Amino acid sequence: MRHWHFHGYGPGHGIGGWGIAVMVIGSLLVLALLVLVVVALLRYLSRSRQPVPPGPAAAGVAGPGPGGPRGWAQGPTPEQVLAERFARGEIDAEEYRHRLETLRSADGPGGG
């Protein structure tokens, strides 16, 4: 009777206990690496999707300091806020002109 050999199957052939352990550890390392890459990618995308504030920084004009000419935080200027209030009808034309004149004068808020 002929004895068949199943090349790699049966006792003494194939992966032993250490081989299985190395495969499991390697698979876990690859999985952990993939999770880290996904987390890093999500963080990068969430930071890059922050809205660009209106003003000179949005137009690519850099001013003094990291946030532009007004310092660290960039946002609408007081004149822009006043114009928005006028556009929404919160103040009338006379009050708008008076407040705008006050903002632009040397004696206005923050003026010297």
Side-chain angles (χ1 to χ4, degrees):
M1 179 170 247
R2 186 170 173 126
H3 194 335
W4 293 94
H5 293 281
F6 292 102
H7 301 290
Y9 300 103
H13 297 286
I15 300 175
W18 285 108
I20 293 173
V22 169
M23 281 181 26
V24 168
I25 291 171
S27 298
L28 290 175
L29 288 175
V30 169
L31 182 63
L33 181 65
L34 287 174
V35 168
L36 288 175
V37 167
V38 168
V39 168
L41 184 65
L42 289 175
R43 283 187 174 191
Y44 172 76
L45 291 176
S46 68
R47 286 183 186 167
S48 65
R49 287 189 174 191
Q50 305 228 344
V52 176
V61 178
R70 292 183 32 216
W72 289 92
Q74 183 67 26
T77 64
E79 291 179 9
Q80 289 171 334
V81 172
L82 185 62
E84 289 172 4
R85 290 187 63 200
F86 178 63
R88 286 192 298 260
E90 294 177 10
I91 57 175
D92 61 4
E94 182 181 338
E95 186 176 357
Y96 171 76
R97 278 190 226 100
H98 174 72
R99 289 181 181 222
L100 186 62
E101 182 181 315
T102 303
L103 285 172
R104 291 180 175 171
S105 72
D107 296 331

